[in-house]
Amino acid sequence: MTPAWRHRARTALLALALAGAGRSQDGASTLAANLEAADAVVVATVTEHESAPQDMLRVRFVVATSLTGAPPAAFTLTEPAGACCGRSLFALQQGDVRLAFLRRRGPAWHVAGGPRGLLPATAEVVAHVRELAVHRSGPARTALLVAALDAPGPRIADDAALALAAQPALALDPAARAAIGSALQRELDRRSGRAAPLLEVAARSADAGLRDALLERYLASPRDDEAALLANGLLRAPVAGTMDLAIAGATDERRGLRAAELASGLGSDEAVAACFGLLARTTAPRVQLRLCEELLARGVPAAQLQRAPRAVVDSAQKRVAARRLVRPSLEAR
């Protein structure tokens, strides 16, 4: 994979992940992760909000509903005063109702999961967390998260996508795989941050049908950011034959360039074999040039590139040599 392509892949993944995180994740955790970390989960109302000595903020809550655990009837949370990343109490007002994930340390209670562990107690979020508390693991938890991808509010849907991607054991039945595929195509169309975690789920699913749909979208994609994202997933998917299908699907110049970029992301021996396979099928000069550059950069002698026109090989040699000259000068800085 070329440095520019790696950069586009990292940029696309980061941008999409952060776009989704901005809506649903105030911290690095999911609702499911916070639930596992919490000793109690409650719906509670703010009754007091005051500054404490030494520039500390103290907020007292009264518990209205307990979802899990054995919480107290009331509890007090403290944090440094003022608005700052990682703080969750400064904006609260008396009467505010919050869903709180709590962890007990000695006699005191603290928020589990940072700011993401204390959030507005909307009916949708409370109902979802209640269901998560009932279905803690296994197929029932997976089915719940897959169904939540269609939740009307983005907070639940975004969180479900991230939770599925983070789930250590991911067993998807055919219906769940189809739902993941539909959701991923939809989010790619929307350029949504939800696409990144869904692609992680798809890559781990080992589903050939889902791989085929993503490969076709990759080959036809007019957008480099989307293609970089899809390439990352396709290269990590544990389904055999992906590169062979990409070569067979390289029926025009654009699709050939996409297939060449996918080949460049493989390990050394696999990449060389894939580039030679594609070179044997294509007559598009730009694709031939891209493949020759990749092969030369990986140490293949120019004499072995007879399938490409001499002018293409000469141009590829010049481009590879220019890159090698530029790289030491950049490293010297």
Side-chain angles (χ1 to χ4, degrees):
M1 185 176 285
T2 64
W5 188 255
R6 288 192 191 96
H7 175 73
R8 288 199 296 271
R10 287 194 296 267
T11 301
L13 285 167
L14 181 62
L16 284 171
L18 290 180
R23 287 197 308 272
S24 69
Q25 300 295 98
D26 299 318
S29 59
T30 63
L31 294 170
N34 282 349
L35 180 63
E36 299 309 314
D39 296 314
V41 182
V42 301
V43 176
T45 303
V46 176
T47 58
E48 296 179 29
H49 183 285
E50 62 181 6
S51 296
Q54 300 174 335
D55 294 322
M56 297 296 290
L57 179 65
R58 182 170 59 202
V59 179
R60 182 171 175 81
F61 295 81
V62 171
V63 173
T65 305
S66 173
L67 276 64
T68 67
F75 59 93
T76 299
L77 300 176
T78 59
E79 70 179 17
C84 184
C85 180
R87 297 180 187 174
S88 54
L89 302 180
F90 68 92
L92 294 180
Q93 301 294 325
Q94 189 170 342
D96 286 347
V97 181
R98 289 293 183 266
L99 177 65
F101 296 81
L102 301 175
R103 180 181 296 161
R104 186 164 190 168
R105 295 176 185 167
W109 291 85
H110 304 269
V111 175
R116 187 64 174 137
L118 188 67
L119 61 157
T122 65
E124 181 188 32
V125 172
V126 171
H128 181 63
V129 172
R130 196 186 296 275
E131 287 294 310
L132 288 173
V134 173
H135 305 295
R136 293 263 180 174
S137 61
R141 165 63 69 85
T142 301
L144 172 62
L145 292 173
V146 170
L149 295 174
D150 292 323
R155 178 179 289 275
I156 296 300
D158 287 351
D159 191 90
L162 289 163
L164 281 167
Q167 198 163 295
L170 189 63
L172 300 174
D173 60 26
R177 290 196 294 270
I180 293 293
S182 296
L184 177 52
Q185 296 282 1
R186 180 180 68 236
E187 302 310 326
L188 286 168
D189 289 340
R190 294 174 176 173
R191 305 193 183 195
S192 160
R194 207 176 299 161
L198 287 176
L199 186 62
E200 168 68 16
V201 176
R204 293 171 55 200
S205 71
D207 181 75
L210 186 52
R211 184 276 314 272
D212 292 350
L214 294 177
L215 179 60
E216 174 57 30
R217 179 159 186 145
Y218 167 76
L219 292 173
S221 179
R223 291 168 37 209
D224 284 348
D225 60 337
E226 178 183 276
L229 180 71
L230 289 169
N232 182 278
L234 288 166
L235 290 170
R236 293 173 52 251
V239 183
T242 297
M243 197 63 232
D244 291 337
L245 289 173
I247 292 171
T251 53
D252 58 32
E253 182 179 81
R254 183 173 70 182
R255 293 167 71 92
L257 287 170
R258 292 294 186 217
E261 290 291 358
L262 192 64
S264 73
L266 297 169
S268 182
D269 291 342
E270 291 177 303
V272 169
C275 287
F276 272 121
L278 183 54
L279 193 59
R281 293 180 59 92
T282 185
T283 59
R286 290 180 63 203
V287 181
Q288 292 172 332
L289 179 61
R290 177 68 186 84
L291 293 167
C292 288
E293 284 187 71
E294 186 67 32
L295 289 166
L296 290 167
R298 290 179 181 268
V300 175
Q304 295 184 19
L305 306 180
Q306 301 95 334
R307 289 187 178 275
R310 184 71 247 174
V312 170
V313 177
D314 289 345
S315 180
Q317 286 182 295
K318 292 176 182 177
R319 291 164 68 101
V320 171
R323 287 208 304 268
R324 287 172 177 165
L325 285 173
V326 169
R327 186 174 300 166
S329 65
L330 291 175
E331 290 175 352
R333 296 180 187 178

